[in-house]
Amino acid sequence: MSKTFFIDLTKCTACRGCQVACKQWKKLPATKTENWGSHQNPKDLSGSTLKLVRFQEVETDNGMQWLFFPEQCRHCVEPPCLDAMTIPGSIIHDQETGAVVYTELTADEPDKDAFSMACPYNIPRVDEKSGRVVKCDMCIDRVKVGLLPACVQTCPTGAMNFGERDEMLALAEQHLAAAAEKFPDAELVDADSVRVIYLVQTDPDSYYESLSADASGIRRGPMSRKQFLAALGRPVKRMAS
């Protein structure tokens, strides 16, 4: 059965251990950054940053609140990015794990922007050095030999979990029921359509626009293909009984 991440954002402290572990395992270089007014560092995903903990400070009835969001590829159950592939083998959808893996053949794709345009979450990035389109690959090399993804292995709070899909779905529902006692607006995001399920304590759009895969707001005029795919990915709120 395919694998799934379950990430409980109510337990995330933004230690960024997952972000660092990803770079270490993938042997990715550090990204040169500068102060841009946020504790988040770097500012965005890139060819050398495949996982990024995003910071958002929001105002609530109880005062200011930090929201943390470790962003990565969602490994969609039905990956729309497959439609962007023109060279066979550029993308491999591994049936054993469910991982969506971009290969070295992406470097030869004529329209690399098509990958990010096809992704409702705007995840794929082009590595300027190799010319490849890159993103999280679920640490498939580790998973295939029975190890946890590097980001999950390093998480100190239990926010990140990984395992068989049915087990992770059950765990997500348990955490949702517990979180709802403290956070009435808690919900699971895209639980039926992705293999990276987030538990949020408030509106997903409060964390980051791509968390809910619908950042377009009120649309005027025809929907683009990306907007259409994003609309299909809207989260279904699962209320705890």
Side-chain angles (χ1 to χ4, degrees), residues 42-54:
K43 191 173 184 178
D44 200 5
L45 296 168
S46 69
S48 60
T49 300
L50 309 183
K51 180 149 193 161
L52 174 66
V53 179
R54 296 191 182 276

Side-chain angles (χ1 to χ4, degrees), residues 61-202:
D61 293 339
N62 297 320
M64 301 304 293
Q65 186 177 57
W66 274 113
L67 299 177
F68 306 125
F69 167 40
E71 185 171 35
Q72 65 179 83
C73 171
R74 310 301 202 277
H75 297 282
C76 299
V77 174
E78 299 291 341
C81 60
L82 286 173
D83 293 338
M85 178 175 62
T86 64
I87 299 175
S90 290
I91 302 177
I92 297 173
H93 190 193
D94 183 68
Q95 296 304 302
E96 180 183 356
T97 62
V100 180
V101 181
Y102 286 16
T103 74
E104 65 278 359
L105 294 177
T106 57
D108 299 322
E109 286 283 356
D111 183 7
K112 296 181 176 63
D113 290 337
F115 289 87
S116 60
M117 289 302 297
C119 176
Y121 305 98
N122 190 30
I123 295 296
R125 296 292 191 273
V126 177
D127 177 26
E128 299 298 335
K129 182 176 294 187
S130 67
R132 292 179 55 176
V133 184
V134 296
K135 64 172 191 61
C136 161
D137 64 1
M138 198 187 277
C139 277
I140 192 169
D141 52 344
R142 293 174 59 92
V143 173
K144 287 282 192 178
V145 295
L147 299 175
L148 291 171
C151 58
V152 178
Q153 182 71 49
T154 198
C155 180
T157 66
M160 303 200 66
N161 304 269
F162 182 84
E164 297 295 334
R165 182 164 178 81
D166 57 347
E167 295 176 357
M168 290 299 102
L169 287 169
L171 182 64
E173 293 291 352
Q174 292 174 12
H175 280 235
L176 173 61
E181 295 181 6
K182 182 177 181 180
F183 306 108
D185 294 328
E187 64 178 272
L188 300 176
V189 181
D190 288 356
D192 296 326
S193 58
V194 297
R195 292 188 175 87
V196 181
I197 301 169
Y198 291 97
L199 169 58
V200 297
Q201 66 192 50
T202 187

